Amino acid sequence: MATSTNKTAAFGVKCMSKHRYIKKKLTVWCALWAGGIIGPYFFKNHEGHSVTVNGDRYRAMITNFFIPELNNHDVQELWFQQHGTRCHTARAIIDLLKDTFGDCLISRFGSVNWPLRSCDLTPLDYFLWGYVKSLVYADKSQTLDHLEDNIRRVIADIRPQMLEKVIENWTSRLDYIRASCGSHMPEIIFKM
């Protein structure tokens, strides 16, 4: 597996967030590794309205946003990890990801098969989304545009030192899982 010191791990996931003050939804995607975050990417239609993710939208985001952004960063020995929702694991998506990342794909149907629901093993789930939500909702945004601005600001303010700790924690979680043959992790707690 990749290590945090070489900035060699990357992860992708989407999060759908419904804010209690705003009745509409935003669908947000980010990738992170020890050296930074790519995104946020907001899934929107041609009119600028938020939409849910399907296979076509996910493929377009990977092709038109993520891969070009990734090429702007010096990330070596990249492993791409995603959870196993249907839109992420459609044959066309897996083929695209295998063409892009080769055997370094951690996903359902990828080179390294990944559990469908594994939030305690995915840094975007156990760290990023909770951290971002704890800060972006503080001012009780009344519009989606304001909420989107808050999300962009909070993500831009996350320092690489914090991400290095997140990846260190992730690798310790994986070490624990390997040692315990896949059992639950009651004593693993995210530490900053």
Side-chain angles (χ1 to χ4, degrees), residues 168-181:
E168 287 171 12
N169 181 271
W170 177 71
T171 56
S172 71
R173 286 168 183 251
L174 293 179
D175 290 341
Y176 180 87
I177 292 297
R178 280 191 291 262
S180 68
C181 298

Side-chain angles (χ1 to χ4, degrees), residues 1-9 34 167 171:
M1 254 328 122
T3 62
S4 62
T5 55
N6 295 329
K7 301 179 185 177
T8 57
I167 299 303
T171 56

Side-chain angles (χ1 to χ4, degrees), residues 107-121:
S107 175
R108 190 167 167 232
F109 308 123
S111 306
V112 177
N113 200 14
W114 198 249
L116 182 60
R117 292 172 186 85
S118 55
C119 295
D120 56 346
L121 295 176

Side-chain angles (χ1 to χ4, degrees), residues 29-88:
W29 181 95
C30 283
L32 73 83
W33 76 100
I37 295 177
I38 294 176
Y41 178 90
F42 297 91
F43 285 91
K44 295 182 177 185
N45 62 17
H46 295 295
E47 292 84 39
H49 300 291
S50 194
V51 294
T52 58
V53 181
N54 62 26
D56 291 337
R57 291 177 184 135
Y58 189 65
R59 181 181 175 86
M61 183 278 300
I62 293 291
T63 303
N64 301 324
F65 173 76
F66 177 61
I67 292 171
E69 284 293 316
L70 184 62
N71 290 334
N72 291 331
H73 297 278
D74 183 27
V75 181
Q76 304 298 315
E77 302 175 44
L78 175 72
W79 284 81
F80 183 84
Q81 174 192 11
Q82 65 178 3
H83 61 72
T85 61
R86 233 178 247 172
C87 66
H88 293 173

